[in-house]
Amino acid sequence: MSNIRRAYSSEAQILSKLAFRSKANWDYTPEFMNACKDELSHTVEQINDNKNIYTVIVKDEDIVGFYKLENLQQERILLEALFIDPSFIGQGIGRILFEHAKQSAISHSGLFLDVLSDPNAENFYINIGMTVIGKQESGSIQGRYLPILAMSLTNEV
């Protein structure tokens, strides 16, 4: 049985560690993971900021995944993070969280949901209905480009 709820600010370190484990699942080098450490960190302040929505999925009292939405008062809402504990990847948790994030974006009057994706997760987003609309250089690794994906929410209401 799993439960979806808002994240508590006291869970910032748990979310940061989960994000790091999830990213490391792609077999990145230790140097690469170290370069990404800041962008994978989530703080009490970020969780408490009403410009963000942090949502977790809990299974047997453990957080097994989470997402973060940004730009809540704009027409383009950003799915800034979606991470699944590696031991739960492939069990549909990512899809459940994505659908929840999509509904949350709709409830905040978003017209589009955007993602700046890890290249390894690009196919996941394409398979759930997003479209690649461009690319952007990584903030952590110079010369590395990340796919930008988007989904219209206007036909989802």
Side-chain angles (χ1 to χ4, degrees), residues 21-142:
R21 283 193 316 275
S22 183
K23 184 84 160 182
N25 191 56
W26 297 113
D27 291 327
Y28 287 122
T29 65
E31 296 79 20
F32 177 91
M33 291 303 299
N34 190 50
C36 296
K37 199 164 199 136
D38 285 345
E39 72 185 54
L40 295 172
S41 296
H42 300 273
T43 66
V44 169
E45 294 77 21
Q46 288 173 313
I47 293 172
N48 285 337
D49 187 338
N50 63 6
K51 295 178 187 165
N52 303 318
I53 293 177
Y54 277 88
T55 301
V56 298
I57 189 164
V58 179
K59 189 169 186 167
D60 299 327
E61 300 183 30
D62 292 321
I63 295 173
V64 298
F66 76 96
Y67 71 79
K68 175 188 177 188
L69 290 178
E70 293 182 351
N71 302 339
L72 298 177
Q73 305 307 318
Q74 299 175 31
E75 68 178 35
R76 298 196 82 92
I77 295 180
L78 178 65
L79 178 60
E80 199 280 327
L82 191 154
F83 290 103
I84 309 301
D85 186 281
S87 60
F88 290 90
I89 290 174
Q91 297 182 25
I93 291 173
R95 284 183 182 270
I96 291 168
L97 280 175
F98 181 82
E99 285 302 316
H100 193 276
K102 188 168 76 171
Q103 292 307 313
S104 186
I106 290 168
S107 73
H108 283 83
S109 302
L111 300 179
F112 297 93
L113 185 61
D114 296 334
V115 174
L116 182 61
S117 175
D118 183 289
N120 291 299
E122 180 178 0
N123 283 337
F124 167 78
Y125 291 112
I126 290 170
N127 289 335
I128 55 178
M130 298 195 85
T131 302
V132 177
I133 60 168
K135 63 183 180 177
Q136 178 178 317
E137 189 167 15
S138 166
S140 314
I141 312 290
Q142 188 175 6

Side-chain angles (χ1 to χ4, degrees), residues 140-154:
S140 314
I141 312 290
Q142 188 175 6
R144 180 176 192 252
Y145 287 86
L146 308 174
I148 304 168
L149 298 99
M151 170 183 275
S152 171
L153 300 174
T154 55

